[in-house]
Amino acid sequence: MGQGGLGRRRWQRGPRPQAGGFCVLSNGCCYDRFMPISFQRSLCLAATLGVGLLGQNGTCTSTVTGQLEVLTLTSASLHNTRKLRVWLPPGYHDAANTAKKYPALYILDGDTAFDSCTAFRHQEFRADETLTELITSGRIPPVIAVGIDSASAALGYNAAGESPDKGEERAREFLAYPDPFSWPGLRDVRGAEFPTFLEHEVMPTIANKYRVMTGAANSALWGDSYAGSAALYIAIHYPLLFDKMIIESPSLQVGNGQLLRDTESITHVPLRIALGIGTAEESEAAAPGYNAAWLGMMHKLADNLQAASYLPPQVQLTVADGAQHTYPDFGKRMAAGLLFIYKP
């Protein structure tokens, strides 16, 4: 479940419950009674999976496929420290490839991309397995994938895979506009600063250490939920930073629809944009009609992007029947996005 965007949603009018305003499910999991039942069940499942990942000595068995290197980056602009998780394609260290350079794929919520041990609620979206399959089969070129931990992940996760701030710093960092629907109390958002962090801190750090091809033509960005909103904001306001993007289930309600309105009458965006959405992102019982409304907004987004007056982009919209707002479901659509943005 994407942090912040869905987990904080108010499903009824009125003030949020204070301490004690929670329900306990039959399996002992305790969550906010304002969350939809399907979400509560997914949290309990994630917590159960988290326990199952831990051995008797409390250690976790990594689920990484391939070679993953972890860097620590302290940001001068955002004033925090986080991990960059760099997945290297097969053959990167082979003697025959020592002079070869690779395109770069930057993945937001990188803590959840490659390893269940580090993933939010231990639900990774298996970027490493997807990339390995597509690269080794020759369906996409070899790429270096850079997972960028969120600001909430930087605070550390507990045994259940949750951050102490419940995703608040992640939301603050990704949102360029406040979200009156999902997080009405969070007003001091800093998402407009995030593109500068990517361009002037993350990307140079990777270029200085790894053999990446630089420039927009060789750079792609992946984001989901609030991170998808951050990616969309970059596509609109920094269209020359990335030529390729995969945006999964972006939170288009932010700014009371302002992010979607920003895509009207645009002149230029990245050249290839893969969009994804599920038909069951939310519980219909808790939010009647919300899935249809979100799907409608995604179609409008695709139309607006394709209508860019200067160099209209290629846009793909993947609608996954029955898919929910979870990292595993985002991951299931990752191959379709990668095949689209890297097609010859």
Side-chain angles (χ1 to χ4, degrees):
M1 191 69 61
Q3 303 173 64
L6 180 57
R8 296 281 304 191
R9 183 150 298 138
R10 296 197 305 173
W11 296 99
Q12 303 173 29
R13 293 188 180 276
R16 289 187 57 78
Q18 301 300 313
F22 293 82
C23 67
V24 179
L25 304 186
S26 59
N27 60 1
C29 295
C30 183
Y31 297 106
D32 189 336
R33 66 182 175 86
F34 278 60
M35 293 179 185
I37 294 300
S38 61
F39 183 34
Q40 296 180 34
R41 289 171 178 164
S42 75
L43 299 190
C44 291
L45 174 61
T48 302
L49 289 173
V51 172
L53 288 168
L54 300 178
Q56 291 183 350
N57 60 355
T59 61
C60 184
T61 302
S62 173
T63 60
V64 174
T65 295
Q67 184 174 355
L68 186 71
E69 298 184 358
V70 181
L71 311 180
T72 299
L73 176 63
T74 297
S75 171
S77 60
L78 299 180
H79 309 292
N80 54 25
T81 300
R82 76 191 66 216
K83 303 296 185 185
L84 302 180
R85 305 176 189 275
V86 185
W87 182 87
L88 300 174
Y92 179 84
H93 287 301
D94 289 358
N97 294 330
T98 55
K100 182 176 180 178
K101 292 190 175 184
Y102 299 82
L105 168 65
Y106 294 89
I107 301 176
L108 305 182
D109 286 330
D111 47 283
T112 302
F114 308 112
D115 192 347
S116 293
C117 292
T118 65
F120 174 66
R121 291 180 179 140
H122 301 296
Q123 294 183 309
E124 65 158 314
F125 52 87
R126 298 171 54 85
D128 45 338
E129 287 85 358
T130 301
L131 287 165
T132 298
E133 179 182 352
L134 295 181
I135 291 171
T136 56
S137 65
R139 300 172 72 189
I140 66 171
V143 301
I144 293 175
V146 182
I148 305 164
D149 280 16
S150 73
S152 289
L155 300 175
Y157 287 152
N158 60 21
E162 296 180 347
S163 61
D165 71 332
K166 305 301 182 184
E168 182 171 330
E169 288 303 313
R170 175 182 180 272
R172 180 175 287 109
E173 182 172 86
F174 284 152
L175 293 181
Y177 306 112
D179 182 353
F181 181 56
S182 301
W183 214 309
L186 186 65
R187 306 297 300 176
D188 57 329
V189 294
R190 301 179 59 189
E193 303 172 23
F194 192 73
T196 299
F197 166 66
L198 283 183
E199 181 177 11
H200 296 292
E201 298 190 65
V202 174
M203 298 171 81
T205 296
I206 297 303
N208 287 337
K209 186 172 176 60
Y210 297 97
R211 301 193 308 273
V212 294
M213 302 165 67
T214 58
N218 304 301
S219 303
L221 182 65
W222 186 99
D224 68 283
S225 191
Y226 274 175
S229 300
L232 180 56
Y233 181 85
I234 293 169
I236 299 165
H237 297 280
Y238 294 81
L240 301 181
L241 190 54
F242 300 96
D243 266 4
K244 307 171 185 68
M245 284 195 180
I246 301 175
I247 303 176
E248 290 291 344
S249 305
S251 302
L252 297 177
Q253 77 277 0
V254 301
N256 199 14
Q258 184 59 53
L259 188 61
L260 182 57
R261 290 192 295 274
D262 283 350
T263 63
E264 298 175 356
S265 302
I266 53 176
T267 60
H268 184 60
V269 289
L271 298 181
R272 287 186 184 175
I273 302 176
L275 304 174
I277 186 75
T279 61
E281 298 271 339
E282 303 286 12
S283 163
E284 280 295 324
Y290 188 80
N291 287 312
W294 200 344
L295 182 58
M297 288 190 291
M298 288 295 289
H299 280 287
K300 183 174 179 59
L301 172 61
D303 291 342
N304 288 350
L305 294 173
Q306 288 177 311
S309 57
Y310 175 66
L311 292 178
Q314 298 180 49
V315 178
Q316 170 182 276
L317 174 59
T318 298
V319 178
D321 187 44
Q324 300 178 352
H325 201 72
T326 66
Y327 284 117
D329 278 351
F330 299 152
K332 291 174 184 177
R333 299 195 292 268
M334 191 174 196
L338 291 170
L339 289 169
F340 177 72
I341 65 172
Y342 287 118
K343 68 180 180 180

